[in-house]
Amino acid sequence: MGLFIQPVPILGDNYAWFVRDEGTGATAIVDPAEEAPIVRAIAAQGGRLDFIFLTHHHADHIAAADVLRTRYGAKIVGAANDARCLPRLDIAVRDGDTVTLGAAEGRVIDTPGHTRGHICYFFPGAPPALFCGDTLFSMGCGRLFEGTAQEMFDSLRRLAALPDDTLVCCGHEYTLSNARFARHVDPDNAAVAARMQQVEALRAQGRPTVPVTLGEEKRTNPFLRAPDVATFAKLRQEKDVFR
């Protein structure tokens, strides 16, 4: 029956993600950082929370994890390599480990770059879904706060190898500003122009621009399109100061 996936807007421009395995009813929230809107979203979907999946340790991704665990009895899942910076983990995972949500099984992918301990969760079911925190954004990628350009380039290459119909479920609503940068560095790309037009329309209506398919990202995201680490590093430096 697949996964039900819903973005939960929090903190102005963050997204937590509510996920339910439709076959069993098991539920999870990804990167919860604000209690009230997440509690409302859970209540609207039946009031059940079994797991809390964390991608990395920044406060705007973990701040509500402990209070939600206490409220619902949910188990917190996060990177063993990042455990010292995260809320107490009930399940510590490493690259290649499997996480289970009801009948759905996901794979843990190490994606250092934004932080050294960043991980993503890939569920290959129907639809395939990638919960990628601040590694991959629509038309962008995370800043290099702890990792190197080489680490982030390699992490993005790992994600780009996933199926094109994978839904990219990222941690922020940055798509409009990312689209402007993509138009700046890739002005002749018709796919970028079309995506920017779509994004402008969605944001004008107050609607999320994600999830988006990985195939669309491969056509429009300059960081995924970078052919080598030197090009990627130059793009990342340009984006850091782009206005």
Side-chain angles (χ1 to χ4, degrees):
M1 296 179 67
L3 295 177
F4 169 84
I5 299 169
Q6 179 181 35
V8 183
I10 57 174
L11 299 178
D13 63 12
N14 276 70
Y15 289 121
W17 293 87
F18 178 86
V19 190
R20 181 175 60 241
D21 172 50
E22 295 283 52
T24 65
T27 67
I29 197 83
V30 182
D31 285 354
E34 187 179 7
E35 181 184 5
I38 292 170
V39 168
R40 288 195 295 270
I42 293 169
Q45 295 297 333
R48 173 178 176 180
L49 184 65
D50 300 296
F51 293 98
I52 298 166
F53 294 125
L54 305 179
T55 62
H56 66 294
H57 63 255
H58 286 160
D60 63 331
H61 292 257
I62 67 172
D66 266 325
V67 69
L68 292 173
R69 167 166 51 191
T70 299
R71 184 179 186 122
Y72 297 102
K75 292 184 179 352
I76 295 181
V77 182
N81 292 337
D82 216 21
R84 63 184 178 81
C85 302
L86 296 170
R88 176 182 56 80
L89 297 177
D90 299 293
I91 302 172
V93 294
R94 300 181 184 276
D95 185 51
D97 282 354
T98 296
V99 293
T100 301
L101 179 64
E105 291 189 346
R107 173 163 55 93
V108 176
I109 305 173
D110 274 353
T111 54
H114 181 67
T115 65
R116 292 199 177 276
H118 198 297
I119 60 174
C120 299
Y121 302 89
F122 173 63
F123 286 81
L130 174 69
F131 300 95
C132 50
D134 286 2
T135 294
L136 175 64
F137 299 129
S138 183
M139 305 186 82
C141 74
R143 288 177 179 263
L144 305 180
F145 286 122
E146 298 175 8
T148 65
Q150 183 71 63
E151 286 175 322
M152 182 64 98
F153 180 76
D154 291 343
S155 293
L156 291 176
R157 282 295 176 95
R158 293 192 73 184
L159 299 185
L162 299 173
D164 280 1
D165 61 344
T166 299
L167 297 180
V168 175
C169 304
C170 58
H172 287 273
E173 182 54 72
Y174 289 163
T175 315
L176 186 55
S177 62
N178 289 341
R180 290 171 180 148
F181 179 72
R183 285 282 281 161
H184 171 70
V185 297
D186 199 2
D188 299 324
N189 186 329
V192 169
R195 174 65 171 150
M196 183 167 185
Q197 187 175 39
Q198 178 191 52
V199 166
E200 288 175 333
L202 287 169
R203 294 313 294 157
Q205 298 167 28
R207 295 169 58 192
T209 62
V210 289
V212 61
T213 66
L214 186 58
E216 178 76 3
E217 287 304 302
K218 290 178 186 179
R219 292 186 290 272
T220 61
N221 189 320
F223 299 100
L224 285 184
R225 292 168 56 78
D228 52 56
V229 69
T231 304
F232 169 81
K234 182 175 182 292
L235 286 168
R236 186 61 264 177
Q237 290 170 354
E238 286 185 43
K239 181 62 166 67
D240 286 346
V241 297
F242 181 77
R243 294 292 181 269

